[in-house]
Amino acid sequence: MKKYWLAAAGVVAAVAIAAPSAVGASAQTPTATRPAAQAKPATPAKHAAQAKPATPPKHAAQAPTVAPADPAPAIAPVKAAVPAPNPVRTVRAGQRVDAGQGYTVWLTRDGKHWSGPDGYENFRSVVDGNIDRSQPGVSHQSEGDAAGVFHSGLFYGTRDVGRVELTDSAGRKTVATLLALPGRPDWGVWYASTGPVDGNGGGSHGVSLYDRGGKLLAELPRFDFPAGRG
């Protein structure tokens, strides 16, 4: 009897030893694990809108194009006007002036004086009332020979004399020399020399008086007469 209990006890013990492994085992059938999926690069969505450069609205007003301003024109410096030289030579009263061809001219307060190659003196007054100094005028005396003619005279009635000009029958012009006393009086003397005219000693010249602006103030017509004093 004792041997049977010991045998039975051995069986029980064997069962008890084997039971823990059976009890502790999982009831689920183990499955093989798959390798982790490799990460794939993200792909852009097919319908994602691509960014486009912004375009101005069709009806937006365009700014006007402004042309560059033209540079201001260079301004030339203004030069001061240079007064024309005074055409009148100022001489002292009684000062003798060599007029050429043996003639001499001088002025005094009462008028014009001149002498020729023969030494004979002549005089033309400006105070005897024979000329009107209240308005522009001119006189003419001439004398000469086969070598040429000496012309002289008075200009008066102006302090703005520009020139005295002689014109012969052919239209040739000769500009006279002008003399005046100091103080710019309203009268003076002119003289000039020309060649002989048609074999006589003088004449055949018109005389014109101009101001400094070129305006004609007075004139004497051309004439013909034999040379002489007067």
Side-chain angles (χ1 to χ4, degrees):
M1 187 68 172
K2 190 176 179 178
K3 290 179 181 181
Y4 175 78
W5 184 85
L6 289 174
V11 172
V12 173
V15 171
I17 292 171
S21 59
V23 172
S26 174
Q28 296 180 354
T29 303
T31 57
T33 59
R34 297 179 179 178
Q38 294 181 357
K40 295 183 179 180
T43 57
K46 290 183 179 180
H47 301 288
Q50 295 182 357
K52 294 183 179 179
T55 56
K58 291 183 179 181
H59 300 290
Q62 295 183 354
T65 302
V66 179
D70 294 334
I75 300 176
V78 178
K79 295 183 179 179
V82 178
N86 189 344
V88 182
R89 176 186 173 186
T90 301
V91 295
R92 302 184 308 275
Q95 178 182 343
R96 302 294 178 107
V97 176
D98 182 1
Q101 297 184 352
Y103 289 88
T104 302
V105 177
W106 65 99
L107 286 67
T108 60
R109 297 295 177 184
D110 55 357
K112 164 201 170 190
H113 303 258
W114 76 101
S115 65
D118 58 6
Y120 188 87
E121 294 186 4
N122 299 275
F123 172 69
R124 185 71 165 89
S125 176
V126 295
V127 295
D128 62 2
N130 289 324
I131 60 173
D132 182 7
R133 291 164 56 184
S134 67
Q135 57 185 355
V138 64
S139 68
H140 182 196
Q141 296 85 43
S142 64
E143 56 186 285
D145 53 28
V149 181
F150 177 73
H151 305 265
S152 64
L154 295 171
F155 62 85
Y156 50 87
T158 180
R159 289 182 170 84
D160 191 33
V161 59
R163 74 181 187 276
V164 172
E165 190 174 78
L166 287 79
T167 306
D168 67 12
S169 58
R172 291 184 294 264
K173 298 182 182 300
T174 302
V175 177
T177 299
L178 308 180
L179 304 175
L181 294 173
R184 299 187 62 81
D186 62 353
W187 69 274
V189 170
W190 65 267
Y191 68 85
S193 295
T194 65
V197 180
D198 297 332
N200 66 28
S204 296
H205 283 77
V207 182
S208 302
L209 171 67
Y210 298 89
D211 68 10
R212 295 187 69 176
K215 178 183 177 181
L216 178 65
L217 300 178
E219 62 182 342
L220 291 173
R222 186 178 63 82
F223 57 89
D224 290 293
F225 64 88
R229 304 181 180 89

